[in-house]
Amino acid sequence: MSAKIIQAISILNEGGLVAFPTETVYGLGADASNQKALEKIFIAKERPFNHPLIVHIAKVEEMANWARDIPQVAYQLANLFWPGPLTLILKKQPHVLDIITADQETIGLRIPSHPLARALISEFGRGIAAPSANKFTHVSPTTAQAVYEELGDKVDMILDGGECEVGLESTIIDLSGDTPAILRPGMINRDALTAALGRQVSYQQQSIIPTPGMHHLHYAPLTQTHILSNSEIKDFIKNIDANVAIIACESDEKEGAAKLICLTKNPAHYAHYLYQTLRSLDNSGVNHILIEKVPETTEWEAIRDRINKAAAKRT
Ligand code: TXA
Ligand code: MG
């Protein structure tokens, strides 16, 4: 075991907070069975208590420690996609603390694939509750530096595992009811889940449960952000006297922009760079961030969801 992991485990055992890399985004971890430690997560993030936390586990067999009446489909998806960017919502075991589930009867579980996350969780030996390691409604961090900018010394340790490969939060699928429903789209998309389950899986836009992923300002930069077509972008820059940055997936020059960032037309690459690009533009002093519309296909669904949230108006 590395010295860093030993230190991280002792912090978790003492009820402290450890930020750690996952393949999706960095998580802000605490011992999932320690009430006081869990409270610190909400305080550090300034997150309201009615937003439940995902518990990160090391092995598929550990699902039963946290969930009950686990349907066969849960094992099917876990075996196919774990470790990986998929969170399963299941009926919770009675011992699970209410602070994790926000007083609901369900729990979110995931095995992340980043080697540091896997080492941390398996050596710790118990579940680690972890939301994304950002302030409530901010863009999720995909580097250790971004975690530091978000939380500073509110976190006892930041494990640096480089850039998160996926770059967007996990897909969340609710398996606690009669029909599986996607609550948050992610890079394991609807088509992949439909193929895995052999039945159509729907994306449930509206949930009765308040979840931060659904908060209209979640993932939002502070800079005014707009989603526009290529020609709307050109008009926007022509008609405004302000510093404008553009995130485009076409390299066609847009004269007059202070910054032009071209992300590729490959959704996996685009997702990988999206949050770090938003974060750096947000810190760059521009007055507007323009994001070029992305394709309407399923592969881009999670990206559309996040950029729509980034562009939601702050009122
Ligand atoms: O990729 C990820 O999922 C990252 C990494 C760190 O694992 N975590 C993450 O956590 O994005 P957070 O808390 O920022 O978002 C988790 C989402 C929230 O929208 C939360 O409300 C939802 O999962 N969630 C957790 N437990 C739930 C439950 N029992 N029922 C419905 N939604 C739940
Ligand atoms: Mg989050």
Side-chain angles (χ1 to χ4, degrees), residues 25-26 45 47 131-141 169 184 212-213 218-219:
V25 299
Y26 274 73
K45 279 181 64 84
R47 165 159 158 156
S132 51
N134 52 280
K135 286 269 168 62
F136 185 59
T137 79
H138 287 193
V139 175
S140 296
E169 303 80 356
R184 178 173 71 185
H218 207 53
Y219 319 106

Side-chain angles (χ1 to χ4, degrees), residues 12 40 79 133 202 207 209 247 290 298 306:
L12 291 175
K40 288 183 191 167
N79 288 324
S202 63
S207 162
I209 311 157
I247 301 178
L290 311 185
T298 312
R306 301 314 191 276

